[in-house]
Amino acid sequence: MSIIHYFSKDPDKRARFIFNFIAPYYAKFDKSLQEGFEVSVKELDKEITIAGKKVLDIGTGTGAWGAAINKFEPSEIVGIDFSEKMIKQAKKNHPEINFHHTNAEDLSEFKENSFDIVTASFVMHGVKKNKRQNLLNEMKRVSRKYVVLHDFIGKTPFSIKILEFLERSDYKNFKKYFCDELKENFSSTKKIPARYGSGLYIAKK
């Protein structure tokens, strides 16, 4: 995909270019990312026992979030991403996890209530509200009970703000309005700060 797609007015083409481009570099930090994610997964396991649960990780990237969850012994974990190169790296990094090249706005390959937990790490802040709603609709449909988002909570480090500017993400509106968006879609929600400006949003059907 040509660099011209970075300047495209189509946010999907732009995002796919960015994530395909950074996949080889991102993969080099996979282990350290996984170690950092385990702090949040420990908090998640206090709220929802992961062992024995079937988990779907959307926007899995190189698989670090899914791998951190996998240490807590779910019965199965499936990771999906719309970036072919991210999925290629994820399969290399974590062959024990089942990865698919799939757009999370269309999870029609999965039936309703297919997973106990449907999760995404640092995905929702990167898209506009209408796309967040599409993602939440599909995540809710294929989840039996829980939708868990690992994303920005609290103060965002300056270096991350620069990256979000380059990505042209919606992280400011995400931080301001996402709790309200969840409340419109789920029976109960909970926000749990972790560290470095990240944390968990746990929603129950």
Side-chain angles (χ1 to χ4, degrees):
M1 185 174 284
S2 168
I3 194 170
I4 197 171
H5 286 100
Y6 174 74
F7 302 98
S8 172
K9 293 181 179 179
D10 183 333
D12 289 337
K13 286 183 179 179
R14 204 164 56 233
R16 193 172 289 109
F17 167 79
I18 291 169
F19 289 107
N20 276 330
F21 179 78
I22 68 173
Y25 309 99
Y26 203 70
K28 294 179 181 179
F29 300 99
D30 183 87
K31 187 175 181 180
S32 60
L33 284 171
Q34 182 183 330
E35 290 172 355
F37 288 166
E38 285 173 17
V39 174
S40 294
V41 178
K42 285 178 183 177
E43 292 300 316
L44 173 58
D45 194 55
K46 292 176 185 177
E47 300 290 325
I48 308 167
T49 301
I50 295 171
K53 299 289 194 304
K54 188 176 180 182
V55 180
L56 174 65
D57 176 27
I58 75 164
T60 193
T62 56
W65 177 245
I69 292 173
N70 203 38
K71 287 196 171 184
F72 288 75
E73 301 183 341
S75 62
E76 181 183 0
I77 183 161
V78 177
I80 66 165
D81 203 286
F82 75 159
S83 165
E84 295 172 82
K85 291 187 178 180
M86 283 288 189
I87 287 295
K88 185 178 179 180
Q89 293 292 339
K91 288 178 177 180
K92 287 181 181 179
N93 292 342
H94 308 287
E96 71 281 5
I97 296 175
N98 184 12
F99 292 105
H100 296 255
H101 176 227
T102 301
N103 189 326
E105 286 188 87
D106 179 11
L107 298 176
S108 55
E109 65 181 278
F110 304 115
K111 295 180 180 179
E112 291 184 11
N113 306 313
S114 295
F115 298 90
D116 299 296
I117 302 170
V118 181
T119 186
S121 179
F122 290 102
V123 172
M124 290 294 182
H125 76 272
V127 297
K128 302 295 184 183
K129 182 180 178 179
N130 64 329
K131 193 173 287 288
R132 285 199 293 271
Q133 184 61 57
N134 293 340
L135 292 170
L136 287 174
N137 287 342
E138 280 294 85
M139 293 176 79
K140 184 177 180 180
R141 183 185 66 79
V142 300
S143 169
R144 294 190 186 103
K145 191 170 186 179
Y146 296 105
V147 170
V148 177
L149 297 313
H150 176 238
D151 218 304
F152 291 124
I153 292 178
K155 188 176 181 180
T156 304
F158 180 74
S159 59
I160 300 298
K161 290 181 180 180
I162 297 298
L163 291 174
E164 295 308 315
F165 172 77
L166 293 172
E167 186 186 327
R168 297 190 237 177
S169 80
D170 195 42
Y171 84 98
K172 290 183 180 179
N173 287 322
F174 168 85
K175 288 168 65 176
K176 189 173 182 179
Y177 299 114
F178 189 60
C179 284
D180 292 334
E181 292 172 23
L182 284 179
K183 288 175 183 177
E184 291 173 2
N185 288 276
F186 295 91
S187 63
S188 68
T189 63
K190 188 172 185 178
K191 183 167 72 169
I192 305 173
R195 63 177 189 175
Y196 306 135
S198 70
L200 299 167
Y201 299 84
I202 300 176
K204 187 187 297 185
K205 289 176 71 172

